[in-house]
Amino acid sequence: MNKPLRRIAIFCGLLVLTLLLRDNWLQYVKADSLADSKYNRRVTIARYSVPRGDIIVDGSPITGSKEMDTSGLNDLKYKRTYKDGPMWAPVTGYASQAFGATQLESVDDKILTGNDDRLFFRNTLDMITGKPKQGGNVVTTLNAAAQKAAYNGLKGHGKGAVVALEPSTGKILALASYPSYDPSSFAGMSDSDAKAWQKLQKDNDPDDPMLNRALRETYPPGSTFKVVTAAAALENGLYTSADQPTNSPDPWIMPGTVTPLANEGSIPCKNATMRVALKYSCNTVFGKIGADLGQDKMLSEAEKFGFNSEQFTPVRANASNFSKDMNASQVALSSIGQFNTAATPLQMAMVASAVANDGKLMQPYMVDKLQSPNLDTLEQTEPKELSRPLSSKNAQILQSMMETVVKDGTGTNAQIPGVTVGGKTGTAQHGVNNSEKPYAWFISYAKLPDGSSPVAVAVVVEDEAADRQDISGGGLAAPIAKNVMEAVINSRK
């Protein structure tokens, strides 16, 4: 072969090698990113070419799929529909042809579209038999009656959220956020869908209805955090019973300052027992407990309850905050739920749940199982212990204190006949120098005569229309918690 031909052959060989390398790069290295690219129209067409599987609550679907007219420009065959969409939106999220998917619709998208690897054999068999491809189902832990009670309870109070857990397992029984939105309103690609989407954006609606307040908003927890502080006092041996007098002067000057920590009104806080202090919500007692224990012990106890860590339910929940670099007076304020302390409603439901479950905190979750189209179980969630914030003995001491709050303290609006209820109210400061209307909190649990505790609840209400003097955890939030607990208890009968 002469020299020019040899050069051409080598050059052509290099071109072929380059093409092979490029082909392998695209097929193997870049395959997943190309398949998931928002610019890959074929992926979107395939996703909406079959009905999505359903999200199930109490054995019934809260989602559906509607067949669309594809004779025109629209090439997406099925559109997602929702039953009671605004009530369930914090659970389902949305699946939109134009705007993607969130929450369970996103986390479990491959199951719902039938593209999960665990459905490969099923899909292959259907292809051979000519049966249309189908999506699988996501079976939730939610309780429909509890969710309805939570959502309806929030409706008349501006903004807020409710989370209810089953203490023994960590199952999420209710997850409500208000105001909310209807995912069906923008599930397609029409002009009306686009307008509905734009209307819901925070820039156009300052109430931010698409914010999942139950999982993604952190609020100052106010006096509900005193339950964590009481747990820290018991666990660290600062006080060993609910009825032991505390070393708590009133007024009490915060360390390193000349500022007294104020109590609300004329309440018996001087050297009060922890039971009395929780009943009347004494800032001086619990602020001094936090300062006496110090930052490290308070931080350790808060983190055992889940603070400073994101939670995955499997939908992600924001991390609640207990600061790690504070002076003694800041620790005191943090120990009564002020300063930088902030918590999601899920986090405070976890606090109540751990106390109710004799000190054992279970991992919260909202998906019970994943099903194939023929209802075979592909994956079952097993309850998992997350931590032990309290010993069983100390948890029972704290239960007795919380039960006093509901029996004849600030939480009497949560009483349920024939049921033992423990709780803690909170009215959290809001705005610079508490200039805005405060948040109303209530955390609680219900205990049946057989000793079991089927539900723990956290409620936070942002009622901007209420008179400031009427805003309290006991007045606004406790009745909602009561209704949610009753709904769970009645559904078990």
Side-chain angles (χ1 to χ4, degrees):
M1 181 183 296
N2 60 34
K3 194 172 184 179
L5 288 176
R6 186 165 59 249
R7 288 177 175 173
I8 292 171
I10 292 170
F11 178 70
C12 289
L14 290 172
L15 288 177
V16 171
L17 179 61
T18 302
L19 287 171
L20 288 172
L21 290 172
R22 177 65 174 169
D23 186 54
N24 280 277
W25 170 262
L26 291 173
Q27 289 192 52
Y28 296 102
V29 178
K30 298 289 288 181
D32 290 341
S33 62
L34 290 172
D36 295 335
S37 172
K38 64 180 180 180
Y39 301 109
N40 188 344
R41 183 69 179 167
R42 288 177 296 178
V43 174
T44 304
I45 292 172
R47 176 175 285 115
Y48 294 101
S49 66
V50 298
R52 287 174 74 84
D54 282 314
I55 297 173
I56 308 293
V57 174
D58 286 344
S60 300
I62 58 172
T63 57
S65 293
K66 178 182 179 181
E67 188 168 359
M68 305 295 290
D69 181 7
T70 56
S71 60
L73 295 176
N74 181 32
D75 53 4
L76 304 181
K77 189 174 182 181
Y78 288 95
K79 182 175 80 169
R80 193 56 147 168
T81 61
Y82 296 86
K83 181 180 179 181
D84 295 323
M87 184 173 79
W88 291 112
V91 175
T92 62
Y94 58 81
S96 168
Q97 294 174 349
F99 304 108
T102 59
Q103 296 174 192
L104 289 185
E105 292 278 31
S106 174
V107 172
D108 292 315
D109 181 71
K110 289 187 176 181
I111 286 289
L112 293 166
T113 58
N115 292 322
D116 191 277
D117 291 341
R118 288 168 289 186
L119 296 173
F120 175 77
F121 177 76
R122 172 81 188 183
N123 291 338
T124 302
L125 184 62
D126 287 348
M127 185 173 60
I128 294 171
T129 60
K131 188 177 179 179
K133 182 180 177 181
Q134 293 177 277
N137 296 325
V138 176
V139 180
T140 73
T141 62
L142 276 293
N143 179 303
Q147 182 76 5
K148 185 175 182 179
Y151 185 73
N152 288 343
L154 291 170
K155 266 187 178 180
H157 295 296
K159 293 179 281 189
V162 178
V163 176
L165 301 174
E166 184 177 71
S168 61
T169 62
K171 289 180 179 178
I172 296 176
L173 304 176
L175 190 79
S177 178
Y178 192 85
S180 189
Y181 64 96
D182 185 357
S184 297
S185 67
F186 54 87
M189 297 191 71
S190 68
D191 289 343
S192 62
D193 291 282
K195 289 178 182 177
W197 170 267
Q198 288 300 326
K199 187 177 179 181
L200 290 168
Q201 302 310 298
K202 188 175 182 180
D203 290 344
N204 298 317
D205 188 337
D207 286 341
D208 200 4
M210 297 187 75
L211 173 63
N212 188 336
R213 288 173 166 82
L215 300 180
R216 300 285 174 83
E217 184 74 301
T218 55
Y219 301 86
S223 292
T224 59
F225 191 83
K226 291 171 184 173
V227 173
V228 177
T229 303
L234 292 167
E235 284 295 291
N236 288 282
L238 182 64
Y239 298 108
T240 57
S241 80
D243 300 307
Q244 175 185 355
T246 61
N247 178 21
S248 308
D250 185 13
W252 176 66
I253 307 300
M254 291 188 291
T257 76
V258 294
T259 305
L261 183 59
N263 292 308
E264 293 288 336
S266 299
I267 52 179
C269 295
K270 183 176 179 179
N271 297 327
T273 66
M274 283 206 296
R275 184 188 305 280
V276 170
L278 200 69
K279 173 182 173 180
Y280 290 100
S281 204
C282 296
N283 290 336
T284 49
V285 173
F286 290 100
K288 187 172 185 298
I289 285 174
D292 289 346
L293 290 174
Q295 177 181 269
D296 291 346
K297 289 179 180 178
M298 282 300 303
L299 175 63
S300 175
E301 187 65 20
E303 290 185 341
K304 287 178 184 177
F305 277 107
F307 279 78
N308 296 334
S309 297
E310 291 182 334
Q311 304 297 328
F312 293 88
T313 68
V315 177
R316 182 185 64 82
N318 282 356
S320 298
N321 182 70
F322 190 85
S323 293
K324 299 181 179 182
D325 185 15
M326 298 183 286
N327 60 40
S329 64
Q330 290 168 340
V331 173
L333 290 172
S334 294
S335 298
I336 59 171
Q338 297 182 22
F339 189 56
N340 288 334
T341 305
T344 62
L346 173 66
Q347 173 62 74
M348 296 315 295
M350 290 165 65
V351 170
S353 178
V355 176
N357 197 34
D358 289 343
K360 183 190 297 185
L361 177 60
M362 304 300 289
Q363 173 72 48
Y365 66 99
M366 72 171 83
V367 175
D368 180 51
K369 58 187 172 183
L370 303 177
Q371 292 179 328
S372 68
N374 65 348
L375 306 186
D376 288 339
T377 298
L378 299 173
E379 181 180 317
Q380 179 78 51
T381 304
E382 296 296 334
K384 179 182 177 183
E385 182 179 325
L386 191 63
S387 63
R388 294 278 183 117
L390 296 99
S391 69
S392 178
K393 177 184 176 182
N394 287 334
Q396 289 166 16
I397 293 172
L398 193 44
Q399 288 171 24
S400 75
M401 293 163 57
M402 293 178 69
E403 288 159 17
T404 298
V405 170
V406 175
K407 183 179 179 182
D408 55 10
T410 57
T412 55
N413 282 337
Q415 292 177 359
I416 301 173
V419 177
T420 301
V421 178
K424 182 67 189 83
T425 56
T427 306
Q429 292 185 1
H430 180 204
V432 178
N433 295 321
N434 200 21
S435 57
E436 299 184 47
K437 291 182 179 179
Y439 301 124
W441 275 95
F442 191 69
I443 64 172
S444 62
Y445 63 84
K447 191 187 297 181
L448 301 182
D450 64 3
S452 65
S453 181
V455 58
V457 183
V459 179
V460 62
V461 175
E462 313 171 48
D463 195 339
E464 295 174 355
D467 290 334
R468 189 181 184 93
Q469 61 267 27
D470 294 334
I471 298 176
S472 69
L476 293 180
I480 299 173
K482 174 185 176 178
N483 290 339
V484 173
M485 290 187 289
E486 284 185 314
V488 173
I489 292 167
N490 291 336
S491 69
R492 290 163 57 96
K493 293 179 179 178

